[in-house]
Amino acid sequence: MTKVLYVIEREFMRKTFEAIDRHVDAESAYVAVRSEAVGCCERIPEVEVDDVSDVDRHVREVDPDVVVYNHRFRIEDATFHEEYPLVHARHGASIGRGEIETTTSTTSDAVDVALAPGERWARRYEEAYPADVDVSVVGIPEADDLVAADPPRERRVLYAPTNHNYGGGSYLDTAEAVLDLFADTEYELLFRPHPMDRREDPGKSLTTECRERIADLPNVVFDEAETPRESVLASDLLLSDYSGIVTEWLHTERPLVQFTDLASDDGEVPGIGHVTAVDDLDLGTVDDLYERGYSDRVAEREAAVRSDLGIPMDGSAGERAAREVTACTE
């Protein structure tokens, strides 16, 4: 009997559930609610369905003890949560994008347990959710393996901005400039567009153009990995904006560059690492970050942000999340 049922909307979202499920001591399974998530996860057994969109029917046919979401798929239309406890874990603990407000406003009538990445999220959850929602700070499960990992020191840079259509990120305004900056240098660049910018225009067209150019650049690799774990572990420096990968990257204690060239008119990059417009970034700055890390001023700011976020970075987030999930099966 399946006790824990994970609901996966998009294939890359499985990383959160995999990081939790390895600590779950109960029978579990997942159901895909978009066609792209079918067959996406080998670690967790899949429930085969004939209509991926009918989440209510899926849950009731499986009849689990608890359902776990890390997204908001059709939650305003679904009714399964009236019968089954719903645990919400975040996919991507992004900051500065209004994601906390969006999540709480759409899930407030459905969630029983909200797993917060850190104290910053927990404070907002407690303000927005009904009083009977159990809010627990667990951390970021998919970042557990990054804690205390040795830096590769291979002059490898990861470019991973947030998506254009849904996140209003910097991809359209920075991708070509980043390739210009690193082409034929002593650095290796891992070029990693968000999965949604690989399948939807205008990001999709830009990704195709960049992929074609990268084929002729010996020091640039188009990152095909479905999840960023290995790429983060292999990189010395991250180029991003306000993507959720930023809070994962903080677990590595390696330098971060945040581009301010956002597509969103009302978006603002929260200053954590080295904050810059893409046209103002040069190889001298990259060299300084690689060799010496942050300046004292930036290091102090990053430490203050870490404290405010309140993310426990001890490698045990998955275990804490699993305890909250399995408590709903008892």
Side-chain angles (χ1 to χ4, degrees):
M1 174 185 174
T2 297
K3 291 182 173 292
V4 178
L5 180 65
Y6 305 99
V7 177
I8 301 184
E9 180 186 3
R10 302 187 186 278
E11 73 273 27
F12 58 87
M13 293 181 175
R14 76 176 196 271
K15 65 178 184 176
T16 309
F17 297 138
E18 290 177 337
I20 295 172
D21 192 67
R22 63 184 178 180
H23 302 289
V24 169
D25 187 19
E27 186 172 339
S28 62
Y30 85 89
V31 63
V33 290
R34 288 189 189 271
S35 58
E36 66 197 63
V38 173
C40 73
C41 181
E42 296 182 358
R43 182 185 295 270
I44 305 171
E46 180 176 6
V47 177
E48 295 186 5
V49 297
D50 56 4
D51 178 5
V52 292
S53 67
D54 195 349
V55 61
D56 273 331
R57 180 160 62 87
H58 303 336
V59 172
R60 292 187 172 103
E61 287 180 351
V62 173
D63 192 29
D65 288 347
V66 61
V67 182
V68 188
Y69 259 48
N70 66 349
H71 48 80
R72 304 182 300 274
F73 180 81
R74 297 187 64 182
I75 196 63
E76 293 170 299
D77 300 322
T79 60
F80 72 84
H81 50 80
E82 297 173 1
E83 304 165 45
Y84 300 91
L86 177 61
V87 175
H88 190 276
R90 292 194 67 83
H91 163 73
S94 55
I95 54 178
R97 289 174 44 192
E99 278 292 285
I100 297 178
E101 289 76 8
T102 302
T103 297
T104 55
S105 66
T106 55
T107 64
S108 61
D109 293 332
V111 170
D112 295 284
V113 179
L115 305 184
E119 296 293 345
R120 177 181 183 271
W121 290 265
R123 291 192 295 268
R124 306 280 277 279
Y125 286 173
E126 289 168 349
E127 292 172 357
Y129 279 130
D132 59 351
V133 173
D134 182 12
V135 176
S136 178
V137 175
V138 298
I140 303 176
E142 53 264 49
D144 282 346
D145 291 343
L146 307 179
V147 177
D150 293 330
R153 304 303 296 170
E154 296 286 347
R155 307 188 78 87
R156 189 174 296 114
V157 176
L158 173 62
Y159 169 65
T162 200
N163 65 83
H164 175 78
N165 286 348
Y166 306 99
S170 64
Y171 182 54
L172 295 190
D173 293 315
T174 60
E176 293 175 309
V178 166
L179 290 179
D180 290 341
L181 179 62
F182 287 95
D184 301 316
T185 67
E186 62 183 354
Y187 288 96
E188 179 183 351
L189 177 68
L190 298 182
F191 188 90
R192 184 179 178 81
H194 189 278
M196 300 311 297
D197 283 324
R198 307 182 194 204
R199 63 168 59 99
E200 294 182 356
D201 277 324
K204 180 180 178 181
S205 297
L206 177 59
T207 298
T208 299
E209 295 172 7
C210 290
R211 189 194 291 266
E212 291 173 354
R213 182 179 176 190
I214 288 169
D216 296 323
L217 297 176
N219 69 314
V220 182
V221 176
F222 189 92
D223 190 351
E224 301 277 11
E226 290 184 358
T227 65
R229 175 182 174 276
E230 293 301 326
S231 304
V232 170
L233 286 170
S235 300
D236 298 295
L237 180 71
L238 173 65
L239 311 179
S240 190
D241 38 42
Y242 51 17
S243 169
I245 199 172
V246 167
T247 50
E248 294 179 42
W249 181 263
L250 288 176
H251 292 68
T252 70
E253 299 187 348
R254 302 171 199 170
L256 163 69
V257 172
Q258 292 174 277
F259 291 131
T260 58
D261 312 81
L262 299 177
S264 174
D265 292 333
D266 57 357
E268 183 178 353
V269 170
I272 302 173
H274 179 83
V275 181
T276 181
V278 69
D279 290 341
D280 294 330
L281 182 66
D282 55 42
L283 286 179
T285 301
V286 175
D287 289 340
D288 286 343
L289 289 167
Y290 177 78
E291 297 293 347
R292 290 177 283 278
Y294 295 135
S295 67
D296 290 344
R297 179 181 62 82
V298 174
E300 290 173 2
R301 182 178 66 197
E302 193 220 39
V305 172
R306 282 176 177 269
S307 177
D308 179 65
L309 294 178
I311 301 172
M313 301 183 188
D314 56 3
S316 298
E319 294 178 38
R320 283 187 289 271
R323 285 198 295 271
E324 296 293 334
V325 170
T326 54
C328 296
T329 69
E330 298 170 353

